[in-house]
Each structure stands twice: as structure tokens, then as C-alpha cells.
Amino acid sequence: MLPLSYSLRNVSARPLRSAMTAGVVALVVVACSLFLSLISSLKRTLIASGDPMNLVVMRKGSDNDGSSQLSLEAYQAIRFFDGIARDRTDQPLASPELVVQPFFRTRAGGRDNVLVRGVEPVALAVHTGVTISEGRMFRPSAHEAVVGRGVAGRYAGAAVGNELEFGRGQWKVVGILDAGGSSFESEVWVDVRELANDAKRPFPYSGIRLRAASPAEVDALAQRIESDPRFALGAQRETDYYAKQSESANSLYVLVVGIAVLAGIGAGFGASNTMYAAVQARTAEIGTLRALGFSRRAILSAFQIEAVALATVGFGVGAALSLALSAAIDVYLGGIAFGAATFTTNVISLRVSGQDLAVAFFLALSIGVLGGFGPAWRAARLRPIEALRKA
Amino acid sequence: MKYFGLIAANLGRNKLRTALTASAIMLAVVLVCLLLTMPAGLDVILEKAASNTRISVHNKAGIVYSMPHSFTRKVRQLDGVAGALAMTWFGGAFEEAGRVTFPNFAVEGEHIAAVYPDYNIAPEQLADFQRYRDGAIVGRQTMRKYGWKIGDRITLRSTVWPVSLDLRIVGEVASERAPMLWVTRTYLDEALKAKGRTGLGIAGLIWVRAADPSRVNALMREIDELSRNSEAETACETEKSFFANFFGTLQGLVTIILIVTGLVALCIVFIAANTASMAVRERAGEIAVLKAIGFGRRVIFGTLFAEALLLSLAAGTAGVLATSGLTRVLRAVAGGNPTLGPLGSFIVTSAVIVDGLFLSLFVGMLAGVVPSFGAARKPVVETLHEVF
């Protein structure tokens, strides 16, 4: 067996070629992990929203709450339905909400349609995944707003303590919403009555979010609402609602995955090519080793180890680069805006997760193993006499 | 060209390496071109669909905020206005799809011609649109997607208004990327009143065409001034800027796409450079012999450089061809998909083709120049010494 140090010394013995091979792998790792994090960030934002215990109540036929309208009477009747959870003071956990999409100015000077949700204080009890992580909840009738984490980083005047301009007036930002990366972090919450006034909506609400008393009650409650003849309302699980909204991004996933696969294949060719070159350049050396009595298997594994070592170095450099790049994108662009099928902008913060890096590492490793195998095989099969003659 | 045989023979010497290199370059060119078609599609759409003499008038607060419909009349009376058309989002879902898959608006038929002369809608079709209150004018893209033709009847269920409208298609906007569908404003108004609602008193957007292109900016200021201190203050912008803003949310994705494109391009340069230097090293002895028997440095450099260029250019051409084939497929799959917006348009413009070819040429040059130069410069004796 050739010592491990032989393989490792070879990596540093030809710094230029080693750097090139590792560089190719590093670039693949960067491209791959950036794309993967784009997908996982999109998924986290669009699919991870909602609570399976919650129901979204809208006008029948509406497929998003931005286009639904609901009367005060409907809300007052629905909130006392059986099967709705209640808080300590015995008030039903029913949150009447109004959704409007006004222009927001980005710090870069553009404008996006941001989802502004008019709510009552009960909203925080219904949306269990949403918390105020900084500052406090808005006070009703004080023209205050709390903004999602994604919104705070992207728009002018959206930091706590600032005046945020949207709709017909200015709103004082008093808190930051944290929702575990879900799409609520792309929203701004204000007092529902103030928003209805500002938007001059004929109906005060676009929908109601309800929290069921128990998991068994969810479907029964939905049934009760759907079959009530007075208001023609539809009810669905909040998780289903957001899953449906996220369908708009499906074609994007396909696109991104396709591109990542193409990039991976291309890089595989490249890495393989450079490894072949490395073997060819060392024909004489291999012949000498064989003549000294090293077995084919020893040569094969030595080259294979060298390829894997190079791939690992490449992965390390690439991972560091992609973490730095994604952080830079978040800081300088304030996240990536993605316009979903509705007119709202989802602010996606690009986070390269451990899982993304694990996949990228696997890819780098396979480039090393597969790209290195062919050349290593060739090296091992060289006949000593011929190899020496070339020298 | 008398050295062409030598170059070709050199390319065929290590077929595996040539194939690997060519495939890597080709794949990379495909990837880069494919990614570039997306921002290119965005530009093409803005260039084709939008005009700088058409002005969008919308509420300052956002396009989901409305304006009183009566404001349209005030705008129409301004000096220099060739036409003004109120548009209100109908949000109709077609029964088969069940959700809104194409933009549809209620419009005023009698003002279409003045605002959209460039749409070239046949006068008799416009006349039908005004004659039949249930008429609809549909863009060619949507017509084709659903296999509709003039005379067909369809039903749209609004997701915004509590009505469904039965429509007859009376006209077509004969432009390739025109997904819109227009229904008459009076029809929607009557349908709402029949449901006991107040009629359609609002306009979502007002499109204005300026008679004089040089007065567009002045006209925009005048319109905004006209709405100042009213219930609904407006913000005017040209159609081009309106759509650029509308698609602005895609800019973030485009940025990521361009970053990755850059990385991939860099990747190929590495690969190609490495291979070219290999090819040269392998042939050191042969090059020395060529020099020894009297071939000049220029020929040595030229043939090696030409080899790298030829390989990458051939791979680049194959890549560009593959891209245009692939985009055709992708367009068929994603073309009708509104969620990708202009990113789904995958338009291979001549600029994209040129970019792809330039990329491969650039790679070839960068990869070929250093080893070729090195080989050409090395003294004969030294090289021969290495060989024998």
C-alpha cells in the first residue's frame, strides 16, 4: 500500500493543477448550494406557513384572501360557532382579517406590492407560529404597525421606530414579526379598522382565521361553516390554503433543479478531465511505482484518495464562498423578492442550510470519486515497461 | 489554412479528452444561454408590449387601490390626450382551470381604438364588442392556449365580484404575447346591479395615450395635479416603467441567476485551460521536433491556439443550437404558465446567441493562449533535452 502521505503530498506537489481541480469542485459546490438554498428557502417561506389546527374562512369561490370579501354580520355569526377554541377569558379564537396589497418602496428605489394584514389583537393567539420578536404589538387606533422580519430588512422606513409610508398615510413601526421563516414574515400587520378606513373597502374583512378547539373538531367546524346558507362561505385548513398558494412556485422548483443538475453534470466532466490530465502527466512516476512493486490496487487507491482529497478541499472552499455570497445577497438586496401568483411579494431570505451543504458535499464527493475513478483505473492498468519507456 | 489538417489531427488524437472538454463547454454554454434567456425574455416583453406614449394612471397607494370612475372623464378632457380607457380587474377564473390563469379586465369598448391603435384590432371586431354587451376581446396567447376562436362562448367566474359572466368572443388582439381578456364595463356594471349591489363606480387603472410623444411627461404631471388632494391621488408612469415595476419582483431571481451564470462560466474557463495545457505538455516532444525542422514560433503558436479556439467554438455552436431546441420545448411547457411570468418565456434572442458564442470564443482564447505561448517560446534544445 502506498502511504496516505503520498496522495496528500501529490495534492500540494502540483499546486496549480490541484488548485484548478479543487476550484472546479468549489464552483460546483457554490452553484449547487446557492440553488438548493433558493429552493429550500422558497419552500420554507411558501409551504411552511399555516397551522393544521387553523381554518381559513373566505367567500365561496375565492382562492386567496386578497380577493375575498366578508361582512361584519358574517364574522359576528361565525365566531360563536361550536368547535372554536377559546382563550382564558372565554373569548373565541377567531381573527377577522382584511388583506390589502399597497406599494412599498424598496431601499433600492423600486416598489413591491406587500401584503398588509389588518388584524385585531386576537390574531397573535390564533396564529400560534407568529410571535413579536422585537418591540411590541401595535396599539389599536394609534396608526402603528408591526412588520415581518423579511419586510423590515427590505423596505425604506420599515425598521422599528421608523415611519413606514404605505396606503394613504404613515404608520409607526413598533415591532418585528417572527414566524420561523414562513410567509407571515413577508407581511405587515396593522389594526383592521384603520386599514379598512385607509383602503376605503366597502366590506370590513376579507376573511376569518379560526383556531379549532381540538384536532377532531377541524373538519366538523369547516363543515358547519360551509353548510351555513346565510353567508356562502368556504373554509379550509390553513396548511392546505398555503400549500395551494405555493403551487405557483412548483414550476420554479423544476426550473431550478434542472439547472442545478445540468451544472453538476458539466462540472463532473470538467473534474474528470483534470484528473485524467493529472494521471497522464504522471505516467512515468506510476511506471516507476509499479516497477518498485506496488500493486495495481495500491495505485488505484492512491489516485482515488488524491481525487477525494481534492474534492474535499474544493467543497470546503465552495461552502465558505456560498455562505459568504448568500449573506452578501441578504445584506445588499434585503433578501430575494418573489412575486407569487397573487399580487404579493414574498421576501425570501437566502439561507444556506446544513442540509443544502450536505447535498453539495455529496455532489463534490461523487465528482471526486467518479471523476477520479476513470483516471485512477487507467493509472493502475498501465504496464510498467511501457510507462517507464515513456519516461 | 494549410495547417488545418494538423489542427484536426491534433484534435482527434486524444478523443476522450476532446469529447470531455467539448461536452463540458457545450453544457456550460447551454446553461449560460438558458439562464440568459430569462432576463432577455423580460426585456423583449417590455420592448414589444409597452409603449412610452401610453401612460398608466393608478392610485398612488398601489394598484389594488381604486380610483373613482368619473376621473377617467376628467382625464379625457385634458389637452393632448388622444384617448383614455378605464380598466377594472375582473379576476375571472375560466371554468376548466378553476382559477385566474390570464389577466382579465372590464373596459370601455368605445375607447379601445384611441388608446391601443398599435393592437390593430379589426374595426368590425371593435364594432361587435360595442354592439354585444356580452362581447369579449381576447389576446392571441390565451385564445391559443384554450383553443378558442371568434364566436365561441365561455363563462368566467369572478373571484373579486360576486358574479359570473357568460361571454361571447368577438375579437382578438393579434399579438403573440397577449394573454389578456377584456369584457365590457357596462355588462359587469349591469350584472352587479342585478345582484343588488351598487354598480361599478370605480376604475382600477386608467390607460391614457398622449397625442404628442414630447408632451408625455407634462401630461403625467398634469394628471397627477388634477387628482391632488382628492380622495384618490394618482401616480402616473409610462407603460414601459409600469411593466418594468410590475415584473420588478422577479429582479431578485434574475440576480441570483446571473451570479450563478457567472460562476458556471468561470468553471468552464478553468476546465478548458487545464485541458489545453495538458494537450501542450503531452506534445512537448513533437513540438520540439517541429521547431527543429524549421517551423516558426508563429506557426506553433497559431496551430495550438487555433486548436483551442476551434474546439471551444464548435462546442459553443453545438451549445447554442441545443439551447434553441431546448427553449422550444421549455416554451411549450412553461409558456402558458403565468406564475413564471416573463421568466417562463425563454426567448433566445440574437443577443443570447452572440453571448453564447462569445463565451465559448473567450474560453477558447483564455484557455489556449498561455500554453500555446509557452510552447512556442520554449527553446528547441531545452524541449528536445526533456524528451530524449
Side-chain angles (χ1 to χ4, degrees), chain A residues 53-55 78-86 92-94 210-222 224-225:
Chain A
M53 287 275 282
N54 283 1
L55 286 176
I78 297 287
R79 71 191 290 250
F80 293 112
F81 270 35
D82 287 339
I84 300 175
R86 286 170 181 264
L93 293 183
L210 301 175
R211 185 154 188 84
S214 70
E217 275 291 345
V218 180
D219 290 329
L221 181 57
R224 236 164 270 151
I225 293 163

Side-chain angles (χ1 to χ4, degrees), chain A residues 17 30 35 61 63 67 101-103 111 167-168 198 200 248 251 255 259 262 270 273-274 277 280 337 345, chain B residues 17 20-21 27 35 61-62 64-65 99 157 159 231 237 246 249 256 260 263 267 271 274 278 281 337 339 346:
Chain A
R17 170 156 316 122
V30 172
F35 270 135
D63 55 3
S67 67
Q101 297 103 327
F103 287 152
R111 66 164 200 235
R168 289 181 164 86
D198 183 79
K200 300 206 190 322
S248 63
S251 34
L255 195 75
I259 288 167
L262 272 183
N273 217 352
T274 46
Q280 219 135 24
T345 305
Chain B
R17 178 190 304 143
L20 277 174
T21 312
L27 254 174
L35 293 175
V64 294
Y65 288 66
R99 55 199 172 88
R157 175 180 53 77
T159 57
E231 283 279 283
E237 57 188 325
F246 194 78
T249 49
I256 293 282
V260 178
L263 288 176
C267 206
I271 295 168
N274 206 2
M278 255 334 285
R281 197 159 318 178
N337 189 333
T339 55
F346 298 111

Side-chain angles (χ1 to χ4, degrees), chain A residues 5-353:
Chain A
S5 59
Y6 170 77
S7 302
L8 298 184
R9 205 173 320 119
N10 267 333
V11 172
S12 52
R14 296 169 183 76
L16 187 64
R17 170 156 316 122
S18 294
M20 269 187 174
T21 313
V24 169
V25 177
L27 288 173
V28 178
V29 168
V30 172
C32 167
S33 52
L34 276 186
F35 270 135
L36 283 174
S37 77
L38 184 62
I39 293 183
S40 63
S41 305
L42 264 172
K43 279 206 169 131
R44 190 181 53 236
T45 309
L46 297 175
I47 295 178
S49 303
D51 185 318
M53 287 275 282
N54 283 1
L55 286 176
V56 179
V57 181
M58 297 181 297
R59 199 165 58 74
K60 244 188 192 104
S62 291
D63 55 3
N64 71 77
D65 52 12
S67 67
S68 164
Q69 297 186 338
L70 216 71
S71 65
L72 190 63
E73 297 77 48
Y75 160 62
Q76 277 165 348
I78 297 287
R79 71 191 290 250
F80 293 112
F81 270 35
D82 287 339
I84 300 175
R86 286 170 181 264
D87 65 8
R88 262 182 248 112
T89 59
D90 208 34
Q91 288 301 303
L93 293 183
S95 165
E97 301 181 353
L98 172 65
V99 165
V100 182
Q101 297 103 327
F103 287 152
F104 274 55
R105 299 278 155 200
T106 63
R107 287 185 305 182
R111 66 164 200 235
D112 292 342
N113 297 301
V114 172
L115 191 144
V116 176
R117 191 179 293 277
V119 296
E120 289 187 356
V122 70
L124 280 174
V126 174
H127 297 280
T128 48
V130 181
T131 52
I132 306 276
S133 68
E134 203 182 301
R136 55 170 174 84
M137 184 64 169
F138 63 79
R139 278 192 310 260
S141 312
H143 234 57
E144 293 177 341
V146 287
V147 301
R149 186 168 292 289
V151 172
R154 185 172 165 85
Y155 301 100
V160 175
N162 284 1
E163 291 281 329
L164 181 59
E165 203 173 320
F166 67 84
R168 289 181 164 86
Q170 291 199 330
W171 308 71
K172 187 162 181 63
V173 180
V174 296
I176 304 276
L177 287 181
D178 193 294
S182 73
S183 71
F184 289 113
E185 290 187 358
S186 302
E187 299 185 355
V188 171
W189 286 12
V190 298
D191 181 13
V192 63
R193 273 173 219 85
E194 285 183 304
L195 185 64
N197 257 339
D198 183 79
K200 300 206 190 322
R201 285 296 163 105
F203 286 96
Y205 307 127
S206 41
I208 312 171
R209 301 289 171 110
L210 301 175
R211 185 154 188 84
S214 70
E217 275 291 345
V218 180
D219 290 329
L221 181 57
Q223 197 57 43
R224 236 164 270 151
I225 293 163
E226 297 244 358
S227 56
D228 190 296
R230 288 171 295 174
F231 310 112
L233 296 175
Q236 56 183 319
R237 274 176 205 263
E238 206 177 29
T239 42
D240 292 346
Y241 172 78
Y242 283 105
K244 208 166 168 191
Q245 300 295 310
S246 73
E247 273 169 22
S248 63
N250 279 349
S251 34
L252 196 73
Y253 298 151
V254 175
L255 195 75
V256 169
V257 170
I259 288 167
V261 167
L262 272 183
I265 296 174
F269 284 144
S272 183
N273 217 352
T274 46
M275 281 304 294
Y276 265 116
V279 169
Q280 219 135 24
R282 262 186 268 157
T283 309
E285 188 181 314
I286 295 164
T288 312
L289 286 171
R290 293 278 287 133
L292 284 174
F294 283 102
S295 69
R296 286 192 168 160
R297 189 181 294 176
I299 306 248
L300 180 79
S301 49
F303 272 85
Q304 199 72 92
I305 289 168
E306 187 182 333
V308 171
L310 278 174
T312 312
V313 171
F315 167 77
V317 174
L321 259 177
S322 63
L323 284 173
L325 253 176
S326 64
I329 287 169
D330 258 15
V331 170
Y332 291 108
L333 300 177
I336 298 160
F338 174 65
T342 49
F343 285 111
T344 50
T345 305
N346 278 296
V347 184
I348 295 160
S349 99
L350 201 61
R351 259 178 269 163
V352 180
S353 69

